[in-house]
């Protein structure tokens, strides 16, 4: 990389005496000659001398200089070096000693006599510190601001110092062939590294505060403590004698020429200026001065703009960008424009050479519109846009705009399009298209779009939020145009909007989705669609349909709230999976459960849509679908009515699962609906078996078991209505359960005993009734249910003859009632000694039993039946075994006295031992326990009485010295009172007065009110 960074101009060509040192002061040159004279040169064009105040702002001019003044005998010996201290208007010179002269008159200000024999120095302009070396000593002086200098420190060093420079608070010195850091406060020395064998040490301070140390022909960067600053190295063509730093370049004085290198890695060679016999190199504020034996040349930097154009034209884009950063702040707009145009050119160059990722990095840095980059990919379909191209975004660069065009990136500005170029373009279009749609180019495009996406989506979202706010306050988007549409994050449609941000977001996401699909990144496309996106619906739908990316298409429909289309596609895929019309991997992904999963989030927003599409998978996934209804909080009545209309065979399943999930959460209406469904199925099943003469009462189908279970477990249905639907000569167990729900316990037990011939079920029925009534405090006759069963056993044929008539009377509207157990008329217990004994055993003297049985379930219509059957009761055969079994198993729940009353007189006492034995033992045990309790209570009573007597025996002795605790007077013969502690004695009058005062104190708030 070689370009013209400096222009070499001869300033002085015929100096009569050999030049030893050179310096600039404003636009003038100060030349120290070998005869000790100081020659002052000024530009030829300066007609009048500038006032001294202008020397700070004026710079060297690119023109010949002529002698203005010659100060002969300025120094006794030739000057070794000199330096203008602009901030203090002083000229520092090193000869046999160090002297300071005032500017511009060059009068002597100070001479540091201690510096006699010094060979090198360094000036710290910020603090006004001067350090110099003579022999093996380093001295530090400070300018006191006036005409004198004050010595600060003096340190000894191992050898003669050959080079030195301030580095912060320390001094870097070159001794022998080594570099050392000298602490200016303590004098401590720290070795850095050797300086090499070919050249003496060279210390060059940098504007950043770092140092550039020479090691033969290599420059090494170190910090102020001598540590390596970074790994970069400046490699000169040969070992330099002097190096100066000017902006972005390092200028080195070599034996035959001056070399200019960039200070940006990898520190390439920029320019060489051939100047033989050059002896001095000096940096000024606007140029570098090179002194030969009898001539002086100025190296003036080429304007940055011209250098940038050179570098850009030669393809050195990175160096051109680094120079753009050196443009002054007042040219910020120009700087941004140049940087953007260079980035664009560099991007095209990198793209054409196959470095796609780096090309996209430069496109990102150029801030160019994504549409500009996407125009390089014609195969990517973009949505139509209403945007007008912003010329500022394209960052045209004046006359070199041809670099912005891919087709003309290799042409110069003077070349015009020709027929040959069109032919070449048409021939290479296919190859170019194939190249631009290759995998690597698309991967680079994906990274570019992902880097740009965050800011674009953020602006689009913020704009949508503003529209929502404006709409909420009734602005109606007046300031944005009347044809603008509101576009939410989740419900985006294909209607175009005039929003630049959202149009740009739609272009970006649409292109990104296509690039992801073309590179086989289906998972990345899914992630894009699952999040907030602005993909164009029409374009993306068409692409996804053609490429069979069904999962991505579903997400596209979902993010655009097109649930009908998504569910139709899901159903289609499920059907194809069943018929094996798709690939095996698709069959594994698309199952009926996918529809259920899709419907879950929609339960709260669109329950009718959920019900509509759930019917498609209800039979294949009944459990998951019904759980969807239950967990989705869809109203149960709505689901039930929808199932009743569209899937009646699943209605019962839904109600079953709902009942299992929350028994109390199902309403009475749904309970009644479920029971009626089961009953209808059971009646159909019964009719079918009856027609085939295969009906048996003990036959149970699965539905009948469910019916019996729900009849017993729930209570929200109407038992009267269900009882009317049952056949009179079948389904007796259902009859019994319904009669039990109606509190018709006698009829229910009669069915268990006489129709079903299942005494165990009758006993279980009694246990359930007893347990349910035992928890009710108001129920005093829960044991009467066993007496009702006992009466049925005693009269086995009592209810069999007119059972159907009694059921008919029971379910008729005028006879329906629900009396409680034990609510019939009661009679007193039989007299006699035996009855009293039994009553004492049961501790139930006040128990009454119904005169005609204990079951209150008998309706008014049963009275006639009882009268008709009274004649038959005498001849009935009692069920003695069942009676004795009942008494033996439930002796603790049966009223013994009433049971003995109901038994026939001829019952043998020996048969009653299983009943009477435990009953008597329990009664005796209770009697003993109560006797013990009675004795303990009597003992407690006696102890309390004894304590009372002891308290009443208290004695108070009143003597002549006894004092009242309140008034402090003697008690004497007055009436007194004693406090409970027995030792505090007061006058009764004092006690009464104190009680009155307490009462007044408690009542004082009332008086205040």
């Amino acid at each position: 990389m070689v370009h013209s960074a400096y222009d070499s101009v001869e300033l002085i060509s015929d100096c009569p005496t050999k030049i030893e040192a050179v310096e600039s002061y404003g636009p003038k040159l100060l030349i120290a000659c070998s005869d000790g004279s100081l020659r002052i040169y000024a530009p030829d064009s300066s007609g009048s001398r500038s006032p001294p105040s202008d020397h700070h702002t004026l710079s060297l001019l690119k023109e010949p200089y002529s002698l203005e003044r010659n100060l002969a005998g300025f120094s006794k010996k030739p000057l070794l070096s000199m330096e203008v201290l602009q901030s203090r208007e002083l000229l520092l010179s090193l000869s046999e000693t160090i002297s300071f002269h005032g500017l511009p008159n060059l009068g002597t200000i100070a001479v540091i006599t201690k510096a006699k024999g010094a060979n090198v120095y360094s000036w710290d302009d910020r603090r006004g510190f001067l350090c110099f070396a003579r022999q093996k000593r380093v001295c530090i002086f400070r300018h006191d601001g006036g005409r004198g200098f004050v010595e600060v420190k003096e340190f000894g060093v191992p050898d003669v110092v050959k080079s030195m420079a301030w580095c912060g608070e320390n001094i870097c010195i070159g001794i022998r062939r080594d570099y050392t850091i000298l602490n200016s406060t303590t004098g401590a020395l720290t070795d850095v590294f050797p300086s090499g064998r070919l050249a003496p040490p060279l210390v060059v301070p940098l504007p950043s505060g770092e140092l550039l140390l020479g090691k033969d022909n290599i420059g090494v960067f170190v910090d102020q403590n001598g540590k390596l600053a970074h790994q970069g190295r400046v490699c000169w063509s040969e070992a330099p004698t002097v190096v100066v730093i000017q902006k972005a370049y390092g200028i080195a004085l070599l034996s035959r020429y001056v070399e200019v290198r960039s200070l940006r890695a990898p520190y390439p060679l920029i320019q060489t200026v051939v100047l033989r016999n050059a002896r001095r190199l000096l940096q000024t504020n606007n140029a570098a001065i090179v002194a030969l034996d009898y001539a002086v040349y100025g190296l003036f930097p080429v304007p940055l703009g011209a250098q940038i154009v050179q570098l850009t034209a030669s393809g050195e884009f990175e160096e051109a960008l680094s120079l753009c950063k050196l443009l002054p702040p007042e040219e910020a707009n120009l700087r941004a424009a140049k940087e953007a145009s260079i980035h664009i050119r560099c991007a095209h160059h990198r793209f054409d050479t196959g470095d796609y990722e780096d090309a996209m990095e430069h496109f990102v840095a150029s801030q160019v519109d994504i549409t500009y980059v996407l125009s390089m990919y014609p195969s990517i379909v973009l949505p139509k846009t209403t945007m007008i191209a912003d010329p500022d975004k394209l960052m045209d660069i004046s006359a070199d705009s041809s670099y912005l065009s891919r087709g003309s990136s290799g042409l110069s500005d003077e070349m015009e399009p020709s027929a040959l170029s069109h032919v070449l373009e048409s021939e290479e279009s296919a190859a170019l298209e194939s190249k631009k749609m290759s995998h690597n180019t698309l991967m680079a495009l994906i990274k570019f779009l992902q880097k740009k996406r965050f800011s674009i989506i953020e602006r689009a979202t913020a704009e949508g939020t503003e529209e929502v706010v404006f709409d909420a306050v009734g602005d109606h988007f007046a300031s944005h145009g009347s044809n603008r549409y509101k576009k939410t994050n989740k419900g985006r449609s294909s209607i175009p909007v005039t929003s630049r941000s959202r149009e740009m977001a739609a272009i970006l996401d649409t292109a990104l989705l296509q690039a992801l699909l073309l590179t086989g990144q289906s998972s990345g496309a899914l992630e894009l669609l699952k999040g907030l996106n602005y993909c164009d619906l029409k374009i993306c739908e068409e692409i996804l349909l053609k490429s069979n990316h069904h999962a991505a298409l579903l997400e596209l429909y979902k993010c655009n709230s097109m649930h009908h289309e998504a569910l139709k596609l899901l159903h289609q895929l499920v059907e194809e999976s069943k018929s094996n019309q798709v690939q095996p991997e698709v069959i594994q992904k698309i199952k009926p459960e996918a529809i259920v999963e899709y419907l879950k989030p929609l339960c709260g927003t669109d329950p009718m849509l959920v019900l509509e599409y759930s019917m498609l998978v209800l039979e294949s996934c009944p459990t998951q679908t019904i759980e969807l209804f239950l967990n989705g909080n869809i109203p149960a009545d709505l689901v039930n009515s929808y199932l009743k209309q569209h899937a009646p065979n699943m209605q019962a399943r839904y109600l079953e699962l709902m009942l299992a999930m929350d028994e109390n959460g199902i309403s009475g209406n749904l309970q009644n609906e479920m029971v009626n469904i089961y009953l209808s199925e059971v009646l159909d099943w019964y009719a079918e078996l009856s027609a085939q003469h295969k009906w048996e009462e003990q036959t149970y189908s699965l539905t009948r078991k469910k019916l019996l279970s729900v009849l017993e477990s729930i209570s929200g249905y109407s038992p009267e209505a269900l009882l009317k639907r049952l056949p009179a000569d079948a389904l007796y167990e259902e009859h019994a359960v319904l009669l039990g729900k109606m509190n018709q316990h006698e009829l229910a037990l009669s069915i268990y005993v006489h129709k079903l011939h299942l005494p165990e079920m009758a006993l279980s029925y009694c246990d359930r009734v007893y347990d349910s009534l035992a928890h009710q405090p108001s129920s005093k006759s829960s044991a009467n249910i066993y007496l009702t069963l006992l009466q049925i056993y005693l009269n086995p044929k009592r209810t069999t003859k007119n059972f159907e008539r009694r059921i008919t009377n029971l379910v008729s509207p005028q006879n329906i009632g629900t009396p409680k157990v034990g609510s019939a008329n009661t009679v007193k217990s039989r007299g006699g000694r035996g009855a009293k004994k039994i009553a004492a055993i049961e501790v139930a003297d006040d128990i009454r039993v119904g005169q005609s049985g204990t079951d209150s379930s008998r309706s008014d219509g049963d009275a006639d039946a009882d009268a008709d059957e009274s004649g038959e009761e005498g001849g009935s055969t009692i069920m003695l075994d069942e009676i004795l079994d009942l008494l033996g198993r439930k002796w603790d729940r049966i009223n013994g006295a009433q049971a003995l009353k109901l038994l026939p007189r001829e019952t043998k006492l020996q048969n009653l031992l299983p009943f009477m034995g435990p009953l008597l033992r329990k009664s005796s045990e209770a009697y003993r326990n109560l006797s013990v309790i009675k004795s303990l209570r009597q003992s407690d009573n006696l102890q309390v009485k004894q304590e009372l007597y002891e308290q009443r025996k208290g004695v108070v002795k009143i003597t002549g010295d006894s004092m009242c605790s309140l008034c402090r007077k003697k008690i004497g013969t007055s009436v007194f009172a004693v406090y409970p502690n027995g030792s505090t004695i007061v006058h009764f009058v004092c006690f009464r007065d104190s009680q009155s005062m307490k009462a007044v104190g408690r009542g004082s708030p009332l008086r205040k009110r």
Side-chain angles (χ1 to χ4, degrees), residues 73-339:
F74 182 77
S75 62
K76 294 180 180 181
K77 292 183 179 182
L79 295 181
L80 299 179
S81 63
M82 59 182 175
E83 180 179 351
V84 172
L85 310 181
Q86 293 281 1
S87 62
R88 289 171 168 77
E89 289 289 329
L90 296 174
L91 173 64
L92 186 157
S93 61
L94 172 63
S95 180
E96 58 183 356
T97 185
I98 294 179
S99 304
F100 290 89
H101 298 79
L103 292 173
N105 297 324
L106 295 174
T108 302
I109 300 297
V111 176
I112 301 178
T113 58
K114 196 171 183 178
K116 187 175 182 179
N119 63 319
V120 65
Y121 74 91
S122 178
W123 170 257
D124 184 355
D125 192 67
R126 180 178 62 85
R127 298 185 299 164
F129 273 48
L130 171 69
C131 68
F132 59 87
R134 60 181 181 85
Q135 298 178 356
K136 296 182 181 182
R137 309 294 293 179
V138 173
C139 300
I140 301 175
F141 280 74
R142 185 185 74 248
H143 184 215
D144 62 1
R147 300 175 62 87
F149 284 80
V150 179
E151 183 177 359
V152 178
K153 295 283 185 180
E154 182 178 355
F155 303 106
V157 292
D159 205 342
V160 177
V161 177
K162 298 180 179 179
S163 178
M164 68 188 318
W166 283 97
C167 51
E169 303 294 330
N170 302 326
I171 305 172
C172 182
I173 56 179
I175 303 175
R176 301 190 186 100
R177 295 189 181 277
D178 296 299
Y179 292 105
T180 304
I181 299 295
L182 172 65
N183 189 306
S184 62
T185 303
T186 63
L189 296 174
T190 303
D191 293 334
V192 181
F193 55 78
S195 63
R197 300 179 179 180
L198 302 179
L202 177 63
V203 181
V204 182
L206 300 178
S208 62
E210 298 176 348
L211 297 173
L212 179 64
L213 304 182
K215 189 172 184 179
D216 292 335
N217 67 322
I218 298 175
V220 181
F221 296 94
V222 297
D223 60 14
Q224 296 180 357
N225 297 316
K227 306 296 182 182
L228 288 178
H230 45 80
Q231 299 298 326
R233 302 287 187 272
V234 181
C235 295
W236 310 102
S237 300
E238 60 182 67
T241 57
V242 183
V243 175
V244 296
I245 305 300
Q246 191 173 53
K247 294 185 179 179
Y249 299 118
I251 306 174
L253 179 61
L254 307 184
S255 60
R256 294 174 295 174
Y257 52 84
V258 176
E259 186 171 280
V260 182
R261 287 187 176 269
S262 172
L263 291 181
R264 190 182 65 85
Y267 313 103
L269 175 64
I270 301 298
Q271 185 181 0
T272 57
V273 180
V274 178
L275 293 173
R276 295 185 179 276
N277 300 320
R279 301 184 59 192
R280 296 287 185 267
L281 176 63
L282 173 69
Q283 176 188 0
T284 66
N285 57 350
N286 73 318
I289 302 174
V290 182
L292 282 67
D293 287 340
Y294 299 98
V296 176
Y297 284 81
L299 299 181
F300 293 90
V302 176
L304 289 176
Q307 293 188 55
I308 292 171
V309 172
Q310 291 182 47
L311 291 170
T312 306
S314 60
E316 301 295 341
F317 303 107
E318 299 296 336
E319 190 67 25
L321 290 172
S322 67
L323 290 183
C324 287
K325 294 180 172 58
L326 300 179
L327 290 173
E330 56 270 15
E331 298 181 5
N333 294 334
L334 176 62
R335 169 183 170 180
K338 283 186 174 295
E339 286 182 343

Side-chain angles (χ1 to χ4, degrees), residues 649-669:
N649 57 327
M650 299 302 298
Q651 187 181 6
R653 180 72 176 276
Y654 167 71
L655 295 174
E656 286 175 7
L657 291 177
M658 187 173 183
L659 182 65
M661 176 178 289
D662 186 6
E663 183 176 348
N664 299 324
I666 184 170
S667 63
N669 182 33

Side-chain angles (χ1 to χ4, degrees), residues 612-906:
E612 177 184 352
Y613 282 93
S614 62
M615 298 298 107
L616 302 176
V617 293
L618 187 57
E619 293 185 1
S620 57
C621 305
T623 304
Q624 294 91 328
T625 307
I626 293 176
E627 287 179 355
L628 170 69
F629 299 150
L630 300 176
N631 299 329
N633 295 324
I634 302 178
D637 292 329
L638 177 63
V639 176
N640 180 64
S641 61
Y642 201 89
L643 290 175
K644 188 175 183 179
Q645 181 178 0
H646 297 88
N649 57 327
M650 299 302 298
Q651 187 181 6
R653 180 72 176 276
Y654 167 71
L655 295 174
E656 286 175 7
L657 291 177
M658 187 173 183
L659 182 65
M661 176 178 289
D662 186 6
E663 183 176 348
N664 299 324
I666 184 170
S667 63
N669 182 33
L670 294 180
Q671 292 182 18
N672 194 56
E673 185 84 18
M674 180 171 62
V675 172
N676 277 284
I677 292 172
Y678 287 154
L679 182 57
S680 299
E681 294 182 9
V682 170
L683 290 176
D684 293 341
W685 172 68
Y686 162 73
E688 181 181 355
L689 292 181
S690 297
Q692 300 174 3
H693 301 287
K694 296 181 180 180
W695 170 253
E696 293 182 3
E697 190 63 36
Q698 302 302 325
T699 303
Y700 294 93
S701 65
L702 179 61
T703 305
R704 189 183 182 191
K705 292 180 180 178
K706 292 180 180 180
L707 174 62
L708 291 171
S709 176
V710 297
L711 287 177
E712 293 179 357
S713 60
I714 64 177
S715 58
Y717 57 87
S718 173
E720 295 85 356
L722 296 177
L723 194 61
K724 293 179 181 180
R725 298 184 60 189
L726 293 175
D729 56 348
L731 301 176
Y732 291 117
E733 189 170 350
E734 287 78 355
H735 279 90
V737 175
L738 293 174
L739 290 171
K741 292 291 184 180
M742 298 168 61
N743 286 335
Q744 301 295 333
H745 302 303
E746 183 181 1
L747 288 176
L749 290 172
S750 297
I751 291 175
Y752 285 125
V753 174
H754 300 309
K755 295 295 184 180
L756 296 175
H757 305 290
L758 296 172
E760 286 297 328
M761 294 186 66
L763 187 59
S764 299
Y765 179 87
C766 293
D767 291 338
R768 291 196 301 272
V769 174
Y770 179 88
D771 294 335
S772 63
L773 295 177
H775 298 292
Q776 301 178 7
S778 60
S779 176
K780 297 182 180 180
S781 56
S782 59
N784 288 346
I785 186 66
Y786 294 101
L787 296 178
T788 301
L789 180 58
L790 183 61
Q791 287 181 331
I792 293 174
Y793 286 156
L794 290 170
N795 302 285
K797 295 183 180 181
R798 176 180 175 186
T799 56
T800 56
K801 183 176 180 182
N802 298 319
F803 177 77
E804 292 80 3
R805 180 171 58 83
R806 296 175 65 186
I807 293 296
T808 303
N809 294 336
L810 179 65
V811 299
S812 60
Q814 63 272 20
N815 291 329
I816 293 176
T818 57
K820 300 293 184 180
V821 174
S823 63
N825 296 331
T826 59
V827 296
K828 297 181 179 180
S829 301
R830 297 180 182 177
R833 183 175 179 181
K836 290 181 180 180
K837 183 176 180 180
I838 295 299
I841 293 173
E842 288 290 321
V843 198
D845 295 331
D846 57 345
I847 292 178
R848 300 293 186 269
V849 67
Q851 186 173 7
S852 61
T854 59
D855 189 2
S856 63
S857 63
R858 299 174 61 190
S859 62
D860 297 337
D862 295 340
D864 297 334
D866 291 343
D868 295 338
E869 297 169 2
S870 60
E872 299 180 2
E873 290 180 2
S876 301
T877 301
I878 65 175
M879 302 172 68
L880 183 59
D881 294 338
E882 286 77 3
I883 292 172
L884 296 177
D885 181 68
L886 173 63
L887 293 175
R889 294 171 61 180
K890 302 297 178 182
W891 59 269
D892 55 334
R893 295 188 174 189
I894 298 176
N895 190 311
Q898 300 301 328
L900 291 176
K901 284 177 60 178
L902 296 175
L903 291 176
R905 294 182 179 274
E906 59 272 13

